[in-house]
């Protein structure tokens, strides 16, 4: 049985090989990156079917455009941006539903889940209330282990924006979760 | 960023658990959208994607099957027993191989000489179809011999991606690329073949893949994949070369290659398409292509090419042509 990495840090960061100027192996990337990209998407859209759809769309885009990539080694970076963009589109289309989910997630009267998952649900519910870009920064920073520069590239913002967004996001989470510094 | 370790640890764990729970490692990778036909629903309106989709189907199926090491649902009762079912078999091809060795054996109509100390073990699976044998010392399989059949579920003998039809050669995800070491024309069983060799850095060490591939029907492949190094690697490759040199394969009929790639040397418009002469290139990735002294005429139906193609546009173009042995069925324009 093939084993995929449980942590995405390697595939998500091993995107540039300066010695590799050959063609993009889209099929190989599809097989090796599918889990990682769906995980990224599901953390952004909070819904597996939508995440899978976003990832499939992103792979289709890579499949169509990989020959136009100036740097074949940047294919995974391209793919990640495509996934993020499609997640944004999904979120925009589901704005009402997202607000609804966020409201439910922050309902203090919600039934308490089992202890082992309680922290997870509480944290995820808090994350879902954050602004979209803050969620993206948080996920790319604390799940994908990307550097501030990589996050800035992926989101098309400055590193300063990444820093301030992450800081505000953490502060907001701390505030909501009662975890004072 | 503000550092607050407990919250950050909790955040990381929450994200990890959520991601892992939603998308566990065991969840199979679905068929690629360009291979499933679903691409049309995703805004694709480019007819040249059809052949790419077909390639993708094969590639993904092969990759998934290799990754899962799934065996045929009805494997023979013993390693040397020929298949008892008829699906996937080629009419007229013997299904009773003298799978033993060392010495001369006949495998799917091909005469091979198994080296001393080696044996040929019937080893069909859903990846390579019913005509596959392991060649090597007892309990190891450094070399594989395979006969392809047009239209079978087996992989296309060559593929325009790195690794040819060798997928997941590390048996797990590897971020490292296959590095092409050799690509040239060769002889397998007295027939013209393509020889390719790659290496890849797997977590367990360097793996070497070497292939003799004959794409003309009846199409065959003799391949080695091994982590051996030094003299042991040299020994395996030497044995494979000896098998290739001593083999005698069924002669090719007048059929087309199942796979060809190269540059269009000339093109002429016909009623329903183009008659072209393709100047064959060997190699894997387009950047590695090396022109061979082989030209082949093909008739390409217009429906297989993007609309903007004219005879002038075709000449000089690099194409990948797939056939069923009689007609061109798919055309890929690398980078098109």
């Amino acid at each position: 049985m093939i084993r995929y990495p449980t942590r995405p840090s390697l595939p998500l960061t091993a995107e540039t090989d300066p010695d590799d100027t050959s063609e993009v192996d889209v099929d190989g990337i599809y097989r090796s990156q599918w889990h990682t990209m769906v995980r990224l998407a599901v953390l952004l859209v909070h819904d597996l079917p939508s995440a899978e759809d976003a990832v499939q769309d992103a792979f289709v885009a890579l499949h169509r455009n990989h020959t136009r990539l100036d740097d074949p080694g940047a294919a995974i970076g391209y793919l990640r941006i495509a996934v993020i963009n499609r997640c944004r589109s999904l979120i925009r289309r589901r704005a009402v539903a997202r607000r609804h989910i966020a409201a439910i997630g922050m309902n203090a009267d919600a039934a308490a889940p089992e202890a082992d998952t309680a922290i997870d649900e509480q944290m995820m519910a808090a994350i879902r209330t954050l602004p979209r870009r803050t969620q993206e920064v948080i996920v790319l920073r604390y799940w994908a282990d990307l550097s501030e520069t990589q996050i800035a590239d992926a989101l098309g913002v400055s590193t300063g924006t990444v820093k301030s967004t992450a800081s505000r996001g953490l502060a907001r989470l701390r505030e909501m979760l009662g975890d004072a510094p | 960023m503000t550092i607050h370790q407990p919250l950050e640890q909790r955040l990381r764990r929450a994200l990890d658990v959520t991601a892992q729970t939603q998308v566990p490692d065991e969840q199979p990778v679905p068929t690629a959208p360009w291979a499933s036909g679903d691409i049309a629903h995703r805004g694709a309106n480019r007819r040249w994607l059809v052949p790419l989709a077909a390639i993708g189907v094969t590639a993904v199926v092969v990759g998934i099957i290799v990754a899962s090491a799934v065996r045929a649902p009805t494997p023979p009762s013993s390693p040397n027993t020929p298949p008892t079912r008829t699906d996937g078999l080629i009419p007229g091809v013997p299904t009773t191989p003298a799978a033993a060795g060392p010495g001369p054996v006949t495998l799917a109509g091909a005469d091979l000489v198994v080296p001393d100390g080696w044996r040929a073990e019937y080893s069909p699976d859903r990846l390579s179809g019913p005509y596959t044998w392991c060649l090597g010392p007892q309990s190891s399989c450094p070399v594989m011999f395979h006969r392809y059949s047009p239209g079978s579920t087996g992989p296309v003998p060559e593929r325009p991606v790195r690794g040819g039809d060798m997928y997941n050669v590390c048996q797990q995800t590897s971020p490292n690329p296959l590095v092409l070491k050799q690509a040239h024309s060769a002889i397998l069983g007295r027939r013209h073949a393509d020889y390719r060799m790659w290496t890849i850095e797997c977590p367990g060490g360097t793996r070497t893949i070497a292939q003799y591939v004959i794409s003309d029907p009846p199409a065959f492949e003799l391949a080695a994949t091994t982590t051996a190094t030094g003299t042991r690697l040299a020994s395996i490759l030497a044995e494979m070369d000896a098998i290739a040199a001593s083999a005698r394969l069924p002669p090719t009929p007048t059929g087309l290659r199942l796979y060809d790639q190269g540059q269009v040397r000339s093109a002429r418009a016909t009623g329903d398409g183009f008659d072209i002469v393709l100047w064959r290139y060997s190699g894997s990735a387009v950047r590695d292509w090396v022109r061979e002294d082989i030209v082949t005429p093909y008739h390409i139906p217009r429906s297989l090419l993007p609309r903007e193609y004219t005879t002038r546009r075709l000449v000089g173009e690099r194409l990948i042509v797939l056939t069923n042995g009689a007609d061109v069925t798919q055309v890929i324009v690398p980078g098109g």
Side-chain angles (χ1 to χ4, degrees):
Chain A
M1 175 69 73
I2 189 169
R3 299 285 302 168
Y4 291 92
T6 55
R7 288 289 298 165
S9 54
L10 183 59
L12 278 170
T13 54
E15 62 189 70
T16 303
D17 177 358
D19 295 325
D20 182 9
T21 56
S22 55
E23 285 192 317
V24 177
D25 177 6
V26 182
D27 289 308
I29 292 173
Y30 180 80
R31 288 189 303 278
S32 67
Q33 294 295 317
W34 186 86
H35 287 82
T36 301
M37 291 301 164
V38 174
R39 286 170 185 151
L40 170 62
V42 84
L43 291 174
L44 295 178
V45 300
H46 315 297
D47 159 29
L48 184 57
S50 298
E52 290 179 335
D53 214 38
V55 169
Q56 293 293 75
D57 279 348
F59 272 110
V60 168
L62 174 65
H63 185 260
R64 286 180 193 151
N65 299 318
H66 72 273
T67 56
R68 300 190 190 111
L69 290 175
D70 292 335
D71 175 12
I76 294 175
Y78 172 92
L79 185 63
R80 184 166 53 225
I81 292 170
V83 168
I84 293 170
N85 286 338
R86 279 152 184 79
C87 288
R88 288 174 176 175
S89 298
L90 282 170
I91 290 169
R92 277 196 292 270
R93 289 201 297 270
R94 300 183 324 180
V96 174
R98 184 170 66 86
R99 284 196 294 272
H100 179 62
I101 290 169
I104 292 173
M106 287 310 294
N107 184 354
D109 297 330
E114 293 180 13
D116 193 40
T117 58
I119 295 173
D120 194 48
E121 289 298 327
Q122 191 182 22
M123 175 64 83
M124 294 309 298
I127 291 171
R128 286 195 291 265
T129 67
L130 298 175
R132 185 209 69 207
R133 178 173 290 173
T134 307
Q135 290 188 43
E136 292 169 354
V137 170
I138 292 289
V139 168
L140 293 175
R141 178 72 184 88
Y142 293 99
W143 178 76
D145 284 335
L146 297 190
S147 68
E148 287 166 349
T149 304
Q150 288 175 309
I151 297 170
D153 289 343
L155 301 182
V157 298
S158 68
T159 54
T161 301
V162 171
K163 286 180 186 176
S164 59
T165 304
S167 179
R168 280 198 303 272
L170 284 180
R172 177 70 181 137
L173 289 176
R174 193 170 295 119
E175 180 184 315
M176 285 189 289
L177 299 172
D179 187 4
Chain B
M1 294 181 193
T2 304
I3 303 299
H4 189 256
Q5 200 62 17
L7 180 68
E8 293 189 0
Q9 284 179 350
R10 184 178 169 189
L11 177 55
R12 286 180 194 278
R13 181 177 176 280
L15 293 169
D16 269 349
V17 168
T18 302
Q20 200 69 31
T21 303
Q22 292 273 345
V23 191
D25 291 339
E26 296 74 23
Q27 184 166 336
V29 179
T31 302
W34 52 90
S36 65
D38 189 39
I39 200 164
H41 303 295
R42 296 177 184 276
N45 191 28
R46 303 172 72 171
R47 303 174 72 176
W48 57 268
L49 282 174
V50 175
L52 285 176
I55 288 291
V57 167
T58 309
V60 170
V61 168
V62 168
I64 290 172
I65 292 173
V66 168
S68 307
V70 177
R71 288 287 173 170
T74 54
S77 55
S78 73
N80 292 338
T81 303
T84 54
R85 57 198 175 90
T86 56
D87 53 311
L89 302 183
I90 308 169
V93 173
T95 57
T96 308
V105 296
T106 301
L107 310 175
D111 296 325
L112 276 67
V113 178
V114 178
D116 288 343
W118 284 29
R119 92 296 183 210
E121 181 177 320
Y122 181 58
S123 184
D125 60 30
R126 284 167 53 188
L127 160 64
S128 47
Y131 296 105
T132 304
W133 287 263
C134 277
L135 305 176
Q138 204 66 36
S139 74
S140 70
C141 186
V143 175
M144 180 269 290
F145 180 74
H146 173 62
R147 175 171 178 162
Y148 296 93
S149 59
S152 75
T153 56
V156 176
E158 293 180 81
R159 230 188 308 283
V161 295
R162 291 177 295 176
D165 59 4
M166 292 291 186
Y167 277 85
N168 292 315
V169 289
C170 293
Q171 303 301 313
Q172 58 182 296
T173 302
S174 170
N176 301 315
L178 281 154
V179 178
L180 184 68
K181 296 294 186 182
Q182 293 185 39
H184 55 77
S185 294
I187 297 295
L188 169 60
R190 304 187 180 186
R191 290 179 53 191
H192 289 288
D194 292 298
Y195 181 86
R196 290 86 57 91
M197 181 193 290
W198 299 268
T199 59
I200 183 171
E201 294 301 322
C202 295
T206 302
R207 184 169 283 266
T208 300
I209 306 109
Q211 297 175 324
Y212 287 87
V213 176
I214 293 177
S215 300
D216 315 67
F220 290 87
E221 177 184 356
L222 182 68
T225 173
T226 177
T227 55
T229 58
T231 54
R232 188 158 163 261
L233 171 62
S235 171
I236 290 171
L237 296 178
E239 297 289 15
M240 186 173 73
D241 290 344
I243 293 170
S246 63
R248 188 172 292 188
L249 303 185
T252 183
T254 56
L256 300 174
R257 299 173 67 97
L258 300 182
Y259 176 102
D260 203 355
Q261 63 185 23
Q263 189 172 34
V264 177
R265 192 177 182 186
S266 64
R268 183 172 62 88
T270 64
D272 63 337
F274 301 94
D275 287 336
I276 69 164
V277 174
L278 195 68
W279 203 328
R280 178 164 172 70
Y281 280 58
S282 62
S284 183
V286 174
R287 62 183 286 270
D288 300 320
W289 281 12
V290 178
R291 194 166 71 192
E292 302 278 345
D293 191 20
I294 299 170
V295 293
T296 309
Y298 291 100
H299 175 72
I300 299 180
R302 171 162 283 287
S303 60
L304 298 182
L305 283 169
R307 287 182 182 175
E308 64 268 24
Y309 270 87
T310 61
T311 52
R312 179 176 295 182
R313 173 84 184 269
L314 267 174
V315 174
E317 189 71 276
R318 292 187 175 192
L319 299 180
I320 294 165
V321 176
L322 302 180
T323 84
N324 58 11
D327 299 305
V328 175
T329 55
Q330 298 161 10
V331 176
I332 297 170
V333 183

